[in-house]
Amino acid sequence: MNIELGVNPRGYPDTMTSAESGRPMKRGSKRLTITVDGRTFSYDQPGWWCDLNDPNDREGQLVDEDNQVAKMARR
């Protein structure tokens, strides 16, 4: 699988509106930290994010191949 982090799939607009809060979201990769089976690690998750710089703001939307990155990270 060849996934380019942060690339805009399918020619979506530059910004999207969050269905959750109505805030604007931008396309990019966000550094996330998860814990699986007691082990913590960080990875870059592509997607649409309300704030790419605030690690505590995890409001966003995953589309297309973004979900594959999340699935691989959990494995």
Side-chain angles (χ1 to χ4, degrees), residues 10-39:
R10 290 200 229 170
Y12 287 111
D14 290 339
T15 60
M16 292 177 62
T17 302
S18 169
E20 186 176 332
S21 68
R23 294 167 54 198
M25 298 185 296
K26 291 185 179 183
R27 182 81 187 151
S29 292
K30 186 167 183 116
R31 176 65 84 173
L32 297 182
T33 301
I34 62 173
T35 301
V36 178
D37 294 331
R39 297 179 64 193

